[in-house]
Amino acid sequence: MESIKLWQIDGEDVTQLQTSDRMESEELLENVLAKNPGLLLGGLTLVGRQTPTEGGPLDLLGVDEDGRLCVFELKRGTLSREAVAQIIDYASYLDGMELGELATHISDRSGGAHGIEEVEDFEEWYGRHGALESLKPLRLFLVGLGVDDRTERMVRFLAENSGMEVSLLTFHGFVYDGKTFLAKQVEVEAAAEPERRSRRRRVSVEERRIQLERRIEESGVSDLFEAAREMFQENWPTSRPRPGAFGLNIPIVGRREAYARIGVKNEGIEIVFFPAAKALCLDEFRKPLKEIPYVLWPEGREPLEDPRTEIIFRVNAEKWTTHEEALAKLVRTIHQAYIENSINDNGASDLARDALKLFRDNWPDSINVLHRLGVDIAARTGPELTPHARIGLWDEGIGIVFYPASANLCRDKFRPMTEKIRHTTWPHNLEPLTDARAEIQFAFSRDEWETHKEALTELLQTVYAARQESRETVGGA
């Protein structure tokens, strides 16, 4: 490769710029490109940096002005043929994902400590660009401070013969008058396909919702689809379903990643469980797999042994009647496993899980909802969820908070507990047994938990009974 040289021209005086120290350029390159993506490609928006793949973290991930997903492999030194293998490995991993899975993979790993703005919900954000189908085929970019002849030959061959859109960019650093300059050289540039780009149709999130509703109606599965949606709502209560390219995606509040999807298939529906859901309670899938018709994606893999496999249950109206209860149980189990898995380990995770079970056993209609300080124990009030208590990890033990919604049902019944167990109130200046605004917060070490667990059980049963009585009174009124 020919070296690049630059000159400063001042009238008739010409001064050659000196190349910068290679190590200095190597350290600057990735940070500069991450903060100034236009240096790589006009109209580029970066959505990931050091994004995990099976082959390792890829350097930069972006979306171009046409909505195409762009993969960048950066080398702080000279590009070699190993870099070609790396970028193909990364791109093939992303390209092998179903579009909904790819969208959640990106959004769940964007932002963070890498200086890239976080995309909270990639699919919703991408709706401003178009339908998710426009993400592919991927564009590949190899970027470095130089390139050897063999690598350039390989990339040129791929660009001209493989159908892949792969480009090769090199940057060169120069120093003049105390300032650093970068020069970009496009060694290989993949040709765009104008016909395919002109056919690309932009679709908003609202249009996707309308399209999904039309597919449901045309397939004659409106009642069945609504029954499945309600089943998720009842058993996966913290989800916020959103229309996607292939159906209604089911995430969990507190996470951007989709765990399941309801789709339309022929004269029935399909319920897809993504690997993230499957991993939470793998054994719980064994019985449904024996009883409910299913297919896998990708095909030809083992449903439980292969962590990348999606399990897709397919049912029509008749089979739904038979299998609804089993699917509802599976959904409840996944949601509960997610809640328990989200409890950070500070040496008391087993106590927190024991407390969750205690609430489940004594408040049978309670619903667990993630809270930034632990797990809320909520109850449904009409369409809304009302938190009644919270379980959190405190100082190598656990804390159990009773919100006013539950404490006020029988506040005097809390007196024996406040006389035996460490407690406080929130706000701190309120009287726990008389002030209707006060939260009552109990703290348990491991020994205290075992000592007072029975008394706490009685208190939970008392509060629950008072809550049921209050509901009946309101209902009667």
Side-chain angles (χ1 to χ4, degrees):
M1 184 190 74
E2 297 182 4
S3 61
I4 301 295
K5 298 178 181 179
L6 292 181
W7 288 266
Q8 163 77 15
I9 300 176
D10 184 7
E12 296 181 354
D13 296 329
V14 177
T15 304
Q16 182 176 343
L17 275 64
Q18 300 299 311
T19 56
S20 68
D21 176 78
R22 169 55 66 90
M23 288 303 297
E24 192 174 297
S25 295
E26 290 175 5
E27 293 173 359
L28 282 173
L29 182 63
E30 185 173 339
N31 286 333
V32 168
L33 294 178
K35 293 180 179 179
N36 302 275
L39 293 174
L40 290 166
L41 186 66
L44 178 70
T45 301
L46 292 178
V47 295
R49 184 176 179 184
Q50 298 298 313
T51 302
T53 72
E54 283 187 347
L58 64 86
D59 292 321
L60 295 173
L61 192 64
V63 174
D64 69 15
E65 59 187 354
D66 291 316
R68 297 281 297 285
L69 192 62
C70 301
V71 178
F72 296 88
E73 174 62 15
L74 276 55
K75 293 300 180 187
R76 294 178 174 180
T78 300
L79 289 163
S80 65
R81 61 181 182 175
E82 285 76 18
V84 180
Q86 272 186 287
I87 197 168
I88 292 175
D89 185 13
Y90 300 155
S92 63
Y93 173 77
L94 298 177
D95 189 68
M97 291 184 176
E98 178 267 339
L99 288 169
E101 182 186 3
L102 176 59
T104 53
H105 181 86
I106 295 170
S107 60
D108 199 45
R109 295 159 178 83
S110 72
H114 297 299
I116 303 297
E117 184 176 351
E118 181 179 3
V119 179
E120 183 174 349
D121 185 327
F122 180 83
E123 188 170 353
E124 183 176 348
W125 174 86
Y126 191 81
R128 300 191 290 269
H129 292 264
L132 285 178
E133 287 86 350
S134 299
L135 281 171
K136 299 182 180 181
L138 277 58
R139 300 182 67 184
L140 282 59
F141 294 84
L142 284 161
V143 184
L145 293 175
V147 58
D148 63 37
D149 292 339
R150 287 191 299 174
T151 304
E152 183 178 352
R153 184 186 72 240
M154 291 169 64
V155 174
R156 194 174 300 280
F157 176 82
L158 290 173
E160 295 175 356
N161 298 280
S162 70
M164 295 169 54
E165 291 196 38
V166 55
S167 300
L168 192 157
L169 313 175
T170 58
F171 286 84
H172 307 269
F174 298 88
V175 175
Y176 180 74
D177 195 22
K179 297 181 180 179
T180 300
F181 298 84
L182 275 179
K184 182 174 81 171
Q185 183 176 11
V186 181
E187 305 285 352
V188 179
E189 184 172 22
E193 300 178 38
E195 296 92 1
R196 183 181 56 75
R197 288 193 178 187
S198 64
R199 292 197 302 268
R200 196 174 293 136
R201 180 174 174 272
R202 299 183 182 276
V203 182
S204 68
V205 175
E206 177 61 18
E207 285 178 302
R208 286 205 301 272
R209 183 187 64 78
I210 294 172
Q211 289 174 356
L212 176 59
E213 290 178 353
R214 185 181 299 120
R215 287 203 305 273
I216 294 169
E217 185 175 353
E218 291 174 351
S219 300
V221 296
S222 298
D223 291 344
L224 179 56
F225 196 96
E226 179 61 17
R229 188 196 65 77
E230 289 180 354
M231 183 269 289
F232 270 97
Q233 183 62 37
E234 288 295 322
N235 297 284
W236 202 316
T238 56
S239 67
R240 291 178 181 169
R242 60 177 184 268
F246 298 100
L248 193 66
N249 288 330
I250 313 292
I252 296 181
V253 172
R255 288 289 291 255
R256 299 176 294 277
E257 190 172 7
Y259 277 52
R261 183 181 69 235
I262 309 171
V264 178
K265 190 66 177 181
N266 300 327
E267 295 180 355
I269 62 170
E270 58 181 21
I271 296 178
V272 183
F273 291 100
F274 295 124
K278 192 175 69 173
L280 288 170
C281 49
L282 201 59
D283 286 342
E284 299 299 328
F285 281 85
R286 296 189 186 279
K287 186 176 180 181
L289 285 171
K290 294 177 181 178
E291 299 175 350
I292 307 174
Y294 72 93
V295 296
L296 303 175
W297 180 258
E299 299 175 349
R301 297 182 177 180
E302 290 295 325
L304 300 180
E305 284 73 11
D306 194 320
R308 299 166 295 175
T309 305
E310 297 175 8
I311 298 176
I312 306 170
F313 293 108
R314 289 180 173 169
V315 295
N316 55 24
E318 181 181 356
K319 291 177 180 175
W320 175 258
T321 302
T322 303
H323 301 301
E324 179 183 5
E325 184 176 346
L327 286 168
K329 180 181 178 182
L330 180 60
V331 168
R332 280 196 304 273
T333 304
I334 293 171
H335 179 252
Q336 185 61 36
Y338 170 72
I339 292 291
E340 294 185 4
N341 194 58
S342 299
I343 300 173
N344 295 323
D345 190 355
N346 72 338
S349 294
D350 57 335
L351 293 186
R353 282 189 283 271
D354 197 14
L356 282 169
K357 184 178 185 304
L358 199 67
F359 273 93
R360 284 201 305 273
D361 291 344
N362 295 283
W363 287 13
D365 60 350
S366 63
I367 297 169
N368 296 338
V369 182
L370 277 183
H371 185 282
R372 63 186 179 85
L373 297 177
V375 178
D376 272 343
I377 312 299
R380 194 175 295 283
T381 306
E384 303 297 327
L385 290 176
T386 301
H388 282 261
R390 184 179 75 242
I391 302 169
L393 297 174
W394 291 357
D395 301 327
E396 298 185 357
I398 62 170
I400 295 183
V401 178
F402 288 91
Y403 296 131
S406 58
N408 288 335
L409 291 169
C410 52
R411 196 171 281 268
D412 61 311
K413 301 296 184 180
F414 283 78
R415 187 176 302 279
M417 293 285 287
T418 59
E419 292 174 351
K420 299 176 183 178
I421 304 173
R422 289 182 296 144
H423 68 279
T424 184
T425 59
W426 180 257
H428 296 307
N429 61 335
L430 301 183
E431 170 59 39
L433 299 178
T434 58
D435 198 313
R437 299 166 299 169
E439 298 177 3
I440 304 177
Q441 307 177 346
F442 294 106
F444 298 88
S445 66
R446 189 174 300 276
D447 290 341
E448 289 169 331
W449 174 253
E450 294 301 328
T451 301
H452 301 298
K453 183 177 176 180
E454 185 176 345
L456 179 62
T457 301
E458 293 178 2
L459 178 62
L460 292 182
Q461 293 171 348
T462 300
V463 175
Y464 181 76
R467 202 176 82 203
Q468 293 301 96
E469 184 179 346
S470 176
R471 284 180 174 179
E472 292 173 2
T473 301
V474 172

